[in-house]
Amino acid sequence: VNGEPFVVERVATRKTKGKSLSFTLGDRDLTMQEMRLTQEAIDDALLPAQLLSAVAFHGQHTISVGSIIDSTDAQMKEAMTRVVRSMELWVQASAEASSRLKDTKLC
């Protein structure tokens, strides 16, 4: 992610019905006490699995209702915003655009 390695480890055992989810980004352990919170950290740093399944497909057989192909313009914009919001380049470009807009308004 932006040049940093990451590790996502999911473990589920039958005998003890134990489950765990851990997440490391770079040298930071982002594992939370609850799996739900760890999944949110993963979704924030990476792309949410639900979003990936909506924007990527590998053939006609994987196109389903609710995919990005079936989206309205507003839904597609929201999905694509989630894709690019955490990307470093997007953040830099957004800051530059805001700065230019402020400069334009001052003139």
Side-chain angles (χ1 to χ4, degrees):
V1 178
N2 291 329
E4 287 189 277
F6 67 92
V7 175
V8 175
E9 184 177 4
R10 296 179 191 273
V11 176
T13 58
R14 287 185 188 181
K15 291 181 182 179
T16 61
K17 296 184 181 181
K19 295 179 182 179
S20 68
L21 175 62
S22 63
F23 177 48
T24 306
L25 179 60
D27 59 354
R28 297 168 294 166
D29 184 359
L30 300 176
T31 304
M32 305 292 179
Q33 288 185 335
E34 296 179 31
M35 288 179 61
R36 175 185 56 83
L37 297 174
T38 301
Q39 185 62 54
E40 286 177 14
I42 293 168
D43 290 348
D44 286 344
L46 309 174
L47 296 178
Q50 185 178 28
L51 178 61
L52 281 176
S53 66
V55 299
F57 58 92
H58 304 284
Q60 289 179 321
H61 63 284
T62 60
I63 298 174
S64 62
V65 175
S67 72
I68 201 158
I69 293 172
D70 298 326
S71 300
T72 64
D73 288 345
Q75 291 168 328
M76 185 176 290
K77 181 179 178 183
E78 179 184 340
M80 297 314 294
T81 297
R82 291 180 65 195
V83 169
V84 298
R85 75 172 178 201
S86 64
M87 294 180 179
E88 188 175 324
L89 181 60
W90 177 259
V91 172
Q92 291 171 356
S94 179
E96 177 67 22
S98 293
S99 176
R100 288 183 184 186
L101 182 60
K102 287 177 187 175
D103 291 344
T104 303
K105 288 181 180 180
L106 293 176
C107 295

